[in-house]
Amino acid sequence: MTLRKLFLATISAATVMMASPSFAATELQVQRFFGACDADFGKNTDVSKAVGECGIITSLINKFAADNPDIKVNVTTVEWPGYDQLTAQFASGDAPDIVTIHESALSDYQSKGLLLPLDDLLKTVGVTPDQFTDAAKEGATKDGKIYGLPIDNWTMLYHINMDLFKKAGLVNADGTPILPKSPEEVLAQAEQFKQKTGKPYFVQNLANETALFTRNLYTYLFQQNSDFFADPKKVKFNTPEAKKVVEMYKAIYDKDYTTKNLDYAGAINAFLAGEGGVQLNGTWVVGDYNAQSEKPGTALNKGGYAVYPYPQLFSGAKAQYADGHTWAVSKKDRSPEQTAAIGKFLKFFADNDFEWSRTGHLPAYKAVIESPKFKALPHRDTISAIATLGKPLPSAVQRQFAIQDIVGEEMSAAISGQKPVDKALADMESRVNELLANL
Amino acid sequence: MASHNAEIRGRSFGDRVLFGLVILLALAMAGPVLYVIALSLKDNKELMVDPHSVFHMPYTIKNYIDTIGTSNVFSWVLNSFIVAGGLTVLTLILSSLAGYGFARLNFPGRDVLFVIVLLGLAVPEQAVLIARHQIFSWLGLHNTYPGLILPGLSSAFGVFLMTQYFRAIPKELDEAALLDNASRFRVFWKVLLPLTVPAQATLGIFTFLGAWNDYFWPLISATKKEMFTLTVGIASTQQNFAQSQGIGFLMAQAVFAGAPILIIYLFFQKYIVTAVSGAAVR
Amino acid sequence: MADAANGNARRAKSVDIYAPQWRNFLFVAPYLFIFVAFLVFPLFWGIWLSFHKADTFSSGPFIGFGNYARLFRDGIFLQSIWNTFYFVFLTVPALALIGLFLALCLNRQTRSAAVLRTLFFSSSVLSVTIVTLIWRIVYIPDMGLLSMIYGFFGAKAPAFLSDPDIAMIGIAIATVWWCIGLPMMLFLSALQQIPQDIYEAAALDNANRWQTLRSITLPSIKRTFVLVVIIQIVFQFQLFGQALLMTKGGPNNLTRPIVLYIYNTAFQRWDLGMGAAASEILFLLILVAAMAQFLLTRRKADA
């Protein structure tokens, strides 16, 4: 190509570029977990048709994008909980604009000055902290400011296959399931269940897992009034209370009252196929399980599906471990259009919290949680207590997800018999303290 | 390939046993892949209800259609091609130039520098990863193609290979050209480089496959989904099966992911095998 | 005539073409720039980091061998070193021996041998994350291919990825499936280097198959055997993808290799200093392995 031709080509290219519309769409980089389900919900904008966390959040974002053609939403789905990636992104200066962060992980990023305080931005779109539920407000506030728009609070639940419970004779006269009131009763009822149905009482995901163990431990430590994080920098796990909890779960494992070797997906499939009585899972599957139970021919449809908070097994505080999800915003230099777009996104989610709560999560807004619409959702009556039962770790505790991995690893080792319980608790304590001491 | 061992003659019982063993191993090799392909041809919902349904009809190509419509597999494959291809081309160029320089030319400090480069062979990727990650953050190179290509370019393997190869070429060829007043570069370009094609093939194939298969570095550097290479992309689909689109769909993605490299392999088998064997003749 | 031509040549090239010239440096300069910027500098920077308390967002004070001390006090790190050695022990002999076996059996001109050779090498071109996807599906309890095969015989498949006793073996099996191609190819090419005459002489002496193998074939490929073993040791020492994706290092840290520990420490616990220290230790271990190779082949060459 001659020099002249090249010159002309460059000029025309430049002209074309300059002739494009003077406003370009504002682009938002959104990052979230909750799974990928593009095959089913990739283009769906009718949120009421969506079921489950993945379906509902995909549809919500699609609807937001459809309602706001001048905002281009670029969504990245990451594996739960996505913090490895997020940290790497912050470290390389490449963080997304809006990202899902658990309330328990907010302070890790906020304390490094990576997140934008949202009080002012939210005020401009009409969202104020007094609209949040107390739990949501507390979880999203760090150092007196709001660092994430709360969208829910969640906790763990007893998901029950009523058909098997009936077979096991664990149902009251009024049709409600009989739940244990002490560790001894857990073992007794599990034994009865095994005798009468031949299946394990619990369906647990014990493989490739850490979170479940940790949440179980925290819940039952709360219930024994064990103040294990009295000092947020030094944890006490090597206690008789912790030992009681671990030994209970170990007995459940040893006596085959639980499924073994299932990972998270496997446990869900097993429960839906009727392989056990109680699945220990969270608020986020209530919607899915309920939908399954309405399908004829499924195991949950046969005798029904019920869901309850964790039973109170000890005489201490009435509590169980809870956390919540928020949309956090990275601190960056932004144009006013971009900031406004972020404000719109947050307002959209604040307004649509009812749809999100159809998953089973507890809404983060007083208006929603008190609305008849929410209360009328299936099964919310049996789990309504979690609004007051749910309790997170003290907010001054850092690196809660790293701690969760350590606790989960050690507890799993103790329960499966790899390590003696005392050694596992001692190692748990020393490893967590070593982590916290070297932050 | 002159290779007739005594083992060929006779079909003894021992022969049959060995043959049986090889067939067994072959089944073990092919089994998982066939299983994956079969899974990809089944409806997700059917698989959820009865996993054994993978062994019988009906089969469907719905998962493939869904993949074409919604999956990111193609962008992942494209990114991997750009990175691996770019790295291969640049490695061949840089290593050939440097190999010629170290093998044939003299400049101050040549021998010391060559020893230092050789020492670089001993450094595993993990020893420099963390520092590289920090450095690339400062340079703003994350989530860019150069960011994915540059680390591999610093490998000493190519220079080592090309230097050895150039050294093995008789000096007379150089001298003949130099007597005809050729410049150093011309000697390199016209005379010696064409003779190094086998080494280039070996280096090219190893470099391409190495880059294609790289997981750790893209995992921490290409964090934006547009930049995902194939390894990172496929890994991202694996994590939580319950929260994903179903096993059939996943397998269809895996087939799309594995097909390009397998097709290339089947077509270029001969060259790949020669190149790999060439490495052994050292 | 020749004299005149030579005379011309000598006048044109009055300079020694082999004298050092800065201009020649240009050939190696591009590579050296990349080499120094992206290998040498990070190497020393990494060592520097390992002596400091550093996290992802800031560099802290100099703490000497503090990170290293913490590493050796960390039971998980020590476990990861043990795991890595165990994994190498599981995979390398299997790869070398099965590779040799296949090479011996498939070293013939038949079409079926060619097809089988292609089959055995094809898995090596797949990337590690596809391999883990395939094998995770195979290993799924009650639903995967393995449990279906066992079910066919009326047995229950071992839960490879969640049973602490066999989890590493499960990963090793998947790895051998993945890597068998290269050893087989290297052995094949070595076998093809053995001259025909030796075999014919042995046949004349009425040597049986086993004797031929032991006295002729094996000694001839000794160098390749060592090469295969060393290559595989160095490669399998760097186990990462399979452990991260198939078991996440569990259960109970029994399948956590050193590289996964480095990843966890540097990119999950944000402890860059300690991660750098762990990677320096890995470097030392691999260096020792490489040195061992160098000395071994040296000795063989001298012998």
Side-chain angles (χ1 to χ4, degrees):
Chain A
M1 221 201 303
T2 67
L3 201 58
R4 185 179 135 83
K5 276 198 193 146
L6 188 60
F7 183 66
L8 283 174
T10 318
I11 294 288
S12 25
T15 321
V16 167
M17 285 198 315
M18 286 193 287
S20 43
S22 51
F23 79 81
T26 324
E27 205 171 305
L28 282 186
Q29 306 288 349
V30 174
Q31 188 159 299
R32 62 167 189 81
F33 34 85
F34 300 123
C37 47
D38 287 335
D40 292 327
F41 294 103
K43 303 263 189 294
N44 181 37
T45 51
D46 184 356
V47 188
S48 58
K49 283 211 179 67
V51 182
E53 281 181 316
C54 182
I56 294 181
I57 203 159
T58 307
S59 310
L60 277 173
I61 296 180
N62 288 344
K63 180 152 197 310
F64 174 77
D67 289 348
N68 292 280
D70 56 331
I71 303 180
K72 185 170 178 315
V73 183
N74 203 350
V75 183
T76 305
T77 309
V78 295
E79 178 212 353
W80 184 94
Y83 293 130
D84 307 346
Q85 223 164 337
L86 186 60
T87 309
Q89 288 168 318
F90 273 121
S92 55
D94 228 346
D97 292 310
I98 310 176
V99 56
T100 48
I101 300 187
H102 290 85
E103 286 170 7
S104 55
L106 267 182
S107 61
D108 292 338
Y109 296 98
Q110 169 261 340
S111 61
K112 301 257 187 242
L114 298 167
L115 298 179
L116 184 71
L118 296 175
D119 308 69
D120 297 331
L121 178 60
L122 289 177
K123 216 192 294 184
T124 64
V125 288
V127 178
T128 50
D130 57 345
Q131 297 168 351
F132 303 153
T133 60
D134 292 335
K137 182 157 73 168
E138 211 183 294
T141 310
K142 310 281 165 195
D143 286 343
K145 292 209 180 131
I146 304 275
Y147 280 95
L149 177 84
I151 52 174
D152 65 60
N153 283 99
W154 58 258
T155 183
M156 299 296 285
L157 297 169
Y158 253 44
H159 298 269
I160 300 175
N161 178 331
M162 287 303 288
D163 179 51
L164 290 175
F165 257 52
K166 284 185 194 132
K167 276 211 187 80
L170 286 172
V171 178
N172 290 316
D174 60 1
T176 56
I178 296 179
L179 294 175
K181 295 200 211 46
S182 69
E184 294 76 29
E185 276 190 28
V186 172
L187 296 174
Q189 291 181 9
E191 176 64 34
Q192 178 181 339
F193 186 91
K194 186 163 119 171
Q195 296 295 334
K196 296 256 172 72
T197 65
K199 295 204 164 123
Y201 182 75
F202 283 114
V203 179
Q204 291 186 88
N205 45 311
L206 299 178
N208 283 349
E209 179 68 30
T210 50
L212 175 66
F213 298 102
T214 312
R215 295 167 189 166
N216 289 346
L217 180 64
Y218 290 169
T219 295
Y220 291 118
L221 285 177
F222 288 155
Q223 289 190 4
Q224 293 177 77
N225 287 335
S226 164
D227 203 4
F228 52 106
F229 261 117
D231 177 356
K233 291 221 150 232
K234 216 157 179 275
V235 73
K236 288 203 286 281
F237 281 130
N238 207 356
T239 57
E241 289 89 4
K243 191 162 167 175
K244 264 203 207 126
V245 180
V246 180
E247 283 184 342
M248 174 180 79
Y249 278 104
K250 183 169 182 351
I252 291 171
Y253 183 90
D254 290 338
K255 299 199 167 104
D256 292 333
Y257 295 154
T258 172
T259 57
K260 306 176 184 179
N261 295 328
L262 292 174
D263 64 1
Y264 182 70
I268 291 185
N269 287 336
F271 179 66
L272 292 177
E275 299 292 326
V278 176
Q279 209 227 342
L280 296 180
N281 206 336
T283 46
W284 52 89
V285 285
V286 172
D288 284 319
Y289 288 177
N290 184 61
Q292 277 288 313
S293 71
E294 285 169 359
K295 275 202 198 124
T298 61
L300 290 180
N301 178 260
K302 218 156 131 201
Y305 158 68
V307 57
Y308 283 82
Y310 267 35
Q312 184 73 21
L313 296 182
F314 299 95
S315 56
K318 292 209 187 331
Q320 57 181 81
Y321 178 70
D323 194 350
H325 298 118
T326 71
W327 283 113
V329 178
S330 57
K331 213 187 246 185
K332 250 190 216 177
D333 287 327
R334 291 197 174 89
S335 64
E337 290 85 31
Q338 272 202 309
T339 313
I342 294 178
K344 279 200 193 143
F345 185 90
L346 297 177
K347 172 103 173 93
F348 179 81
F349 270 87
D351 289 341
N352 282 285
D353 204 45
F354 167 72
E355 295 292 344
W356 181 243
S357 71
R358 289 194 302 110
T359 51
H361 286 310
L362 266 184
Y365 296 87
K366 288 193 188 128
V368 180
I369 206 174
E370 287 159 10
S371 69
K373 207 168 41 157
F374 171 72
K375 292 188 185 162
L377 287 175
H379 303 289
R380 297 315 190 270
D381 48 343
T382 50
I383 58 173
S384 58
I386 60 179
T388 43
L389 288 174
K391 186 179 145 122
L393 289 184
S395 67
V397 177
Q398 300 260 40
R399 302 296 169 80
Q400 293 188 28
F401 273 80
I403 294 176
Q404 175 180 278
D405 280 338
I406 295 175
V407 173
E409 277 170 21
E410 295 298 337
M411 210 164 136
S412 164
I415 289 174
S416 60
Q418 282 277 301
K419 257 192 202 181
V421 177
D422 290 316
K423 181 153 193 335
L425 287 174
D427 285 346
M428 196 193 285
E429 190 177 285
S430 64
R431 282 176 69 191
V432 172
N433 288 335
E434 210 263 353
L435 171 76
L436 291 175
N438 280 289
L439 280 184
Chain B
M1 263 169 59
S3 54
H4 295 282
N5 305 1
E7 295 159 10
I8 286 190
R9 304 189 213 112
R11 285 191 149 274
S12 66
F13 175 71
D15 260 351
R16 290 186 205 277
V17 168
L18 288 176
F19 184 69
L21 264 171
V22 173
I23 293 298
L24 213 63
L25 284 174
L27 282 173
M29 277 309 273
V33 177
L34 292 173
Y35 178 61
V36 164
I37 297 179
L39 279 173
S40 71
L41 292 170
K42 299 281 317 172
D43 182 69
N44 284 322
K45 301 192 182 34
E46 204 186 328
L47 283 174
M48 277 246 301
V49 167
D50 175 24
H52 284 87
S53 62
V54 71
F55 288 126
H56 49 73
M57 305 285 275
Y59 291 112
T60 164
I61 58 167
K62 176 174 183 298
N63 291 320
Y64 287 95
I65 298 177
D66 286 342
T67 308
I68 297 179
T70 64
S71 166
N72 295 308
V73 173
F74 302 105
S75 83
W76 300 336
V77 171
L78 182 66
N79 283 337
S80 278
F81 258 116
I82 293 176
V83 172
L87 177 63
T88 305
V89 168
L90 287 172
T91 299
L92 289 176
I93 295 175
L94 256 56
S95 300
S96 301
L97 285 170
Y100 176 66
F102 279 123
R104 282 295 204 254
L105 304 178
N106 207 344
F107 49 85
R110 180 192 66 177
D111 295 326
V112 170
L113 279 172
F114 187 61
V115 169
I116 293 179
V117 170
L118 272 193
L119 287 176
L121 273 177
V123 179
E125 191 197 6
Q126 296 82 17
V128 289
L129 260 178
I130 296 176
R132 263 187 200 153
H133 190 260
Q134 265 205 336
I135 294 168
F136 276 49
S137 298
W138 300 333
L139 296 175
L141 281 176
H142 286 303
N143 284 308
T144 63
Y145 288 118
L148 292 172
I149 293 178
L150 284 169
L153 208 52
S154 65
S155 158
F157 176 66
V159 175
F160 171 65
L161 198 70
M162 295 311 292
T163 309
Q164 299 291 77
Y165 211 82
F166 275 116
R167 278 193 180 152
I169 299 176
K171 282 216 172 111
E172 288 76 44
L173 289 158
D174 289 52
E175 284 163 6
L178 287 168
L179 282 172
D180 286 342
N181 245 335
S183 75
R184 285 302 189 179
F185 186 76
R186 222 179 137 72
V187 175
F188 165 72
W189 185 251
K190 288 271 175 199
V191 180
L192 295 189
L193 199 58
L195 295 173
T196 62
V197 169
Q200 304 263 353
T202 305
L203 181 57
I205 289 171
F206 270 113
T207 308
F208 190 87
L209 281 179
W212 188 264
N213 182 44
D214 196 10
Y215 179 45
F216 201 144
W217 180 252
L219 179 66
I220 55 180
S221 182
T223 51
K224 284 213 179 113
K225 70 172 180 192
E226 299 84 47
M227 286 305 295
F228 276 1
T229 58
L230 189 58
T231 47
V232 179
I234 290 290
S236 74
T237 65
Q238 280 185 50
Q239 299 307 350
N240 221 330
F241 286 131
Q243 291 189 321
S244 74
Q245 293 101 309
I247 294 206
F249 182 77
L250 269 178
M251 295 302 115
Q253 274 190 321
V255 170
F256 267 114
I261 198 75
L262 277 175
I263 293 175
I264 292 182
Y265 166 63
L266 287 173
F267 270 111
F268 292 104
Q269 243 190 92
K270 249 211 201 132
Y271 303 102
I272 296 181
V273 167
T274 321
V276 167
S277 325
V281 187
R282 250 175 225 289
Chain C
M1 268 291 216
D3 283 339
N6 276 350
N8 281 338
R10 249 179 284 132
R11 262 190 301 257
K13 287 257 178 283
S14 51
V15 141
D16 174 10
I17 55 174
Y18 292 117
Q21 283 188 44
W22 279 106
R23 205 180 38 176
N24 292 334
F25 188 69
L26 284 176
F27 279 89
V28 302
Y31 172 72
L32 275 182
F33 175 69
I34 307 265
F35 177 73
V36 167
F38 297 115
L39 202 145
V40 177
F41 180 55
L43 180 64
F44 287 105
W45 181 250
I47 298 176
W48 184 90
L49 267 181
S50 74
F51 290 119
H52 286 72
K53 179 158 178 44
D55 75 5
T56 317
F57 300 106
S58 55
S59 251
F62 176 76
I63 54 171
F65 282 97
N67 284 323
Y68 292 92
R70 279 177 65 205
L71 274 179
F72 285 106
R73 276 200 309 261
D74 186 358
I76 309 294
F77 179 66
L78 299 172
Q79 176 76 46
S80 74
I81 297 185
W82 168 252
N83 293 340
T84 312
F85 275 99
Y86 179 49
F87 180 72
V88 168
F89 170 72
L90 284 175
T91 48
V92 176
L95 284 167
L97 294 172
I98 299 179
L100 179 58
F101 172 72
L102 287 173
L104 287 169
C105 292
L106 296 178
N107 189 18
R108 50 192 72 190
Q109 301 274 44
T110 65
R111 185 148 174 84
S112 51
V115 168
L116 284 171
R117 283 196 301 264
T118 307
L119 174 67
F120 283 110
F121 194 79
S122 57
S123 62
S124 303
V125 300
L126 294 172
S127 67
V128 64
T129 53
I130 298 187
V131 173
T132 55
L133 187 58
I134 295 176
W135 278 89
R136 278 184 73 183
I137 295 289
V138 168
Y139 282 142
I140 291 184
D142 301 327
M143 281 191 355
L145 180 64
L146 196 69
S147 73
M148 288 206 231
I149 293 177
Y150 269 76
F152 186 67
F153 294 106
K156 195 162 152 62
F160 268 111
L161 297 181
S162 47
D163 185 337
D165 296 323
I166 55 177
M168 200 52 129
I169 298 181
I171 298 183
I173 293 177
T175 306
V176 170
W177 180 93
W178 179 37
C179 296
I180 193 69
L182 185 66
M184 181 186 75
M185 279 304 175
L186 291 175
F187 282 129
L188 270 170
S189 82
L191 285 174
Q192 282 151 21
Q193 301 288 325
I194 303 178
Q196 225 358 65
D197 346 10
I198 301 191
Y199 284 115
E200 283 167 8
L204 283 175
D205 282 347
N206 264 331
N208 72 17
R209 199 205 305 230
W210 187 243
Q211 285 168 328
T212 321
L213 183 71
R214 237 171 10 131
S215 333
I216 299 180
T217 320
L218 290 182
S220 313
I221 59 169
K222 215 193 287 196
R223 244 193 107 209
T224 309
F225 195 86
V226 171
L227 181 72
V228 166
V229 168
I230 296 297
I231 290 180
Q232 289 302 325
I233 288 181
V234 172
F235 186 70
Q236 304 303 349
F237 231 95
Q238 298 173 43
L239 170 69
F240 173 65
Q242 304 92 295
L244 175 61
L245 294 169
M246 291 174 87
T247 57
K248 288 209 182 83
N252 191 25
N253 293 303
L254 286 172
T255 57
R256 194 178 306 276
I258 303 179
V259 180
L260 184 56
Y261 181 86
I262 295 173
Y263 174 74
N264 291 142
T265 310
F267 298 101
Q268 285 175 342
R269 285 176 50 173
W270 311 3
D271 198 333
L272 243 51
M274 199 155 103
S279 62
E280 299 308 329
I281 294 188
L282 175 68
F283 179 22
L284 274 166
L285 286 172
I286 293 188
L287 208 59
V288 167
M291 283 278 116
Q293 165 212 355
F294 189 63
L295 291 171
L296 245 143
T297 47
R298 246 304 140 84
R299 229 174 337 130
K300 290 215 182 299
D302 292 343

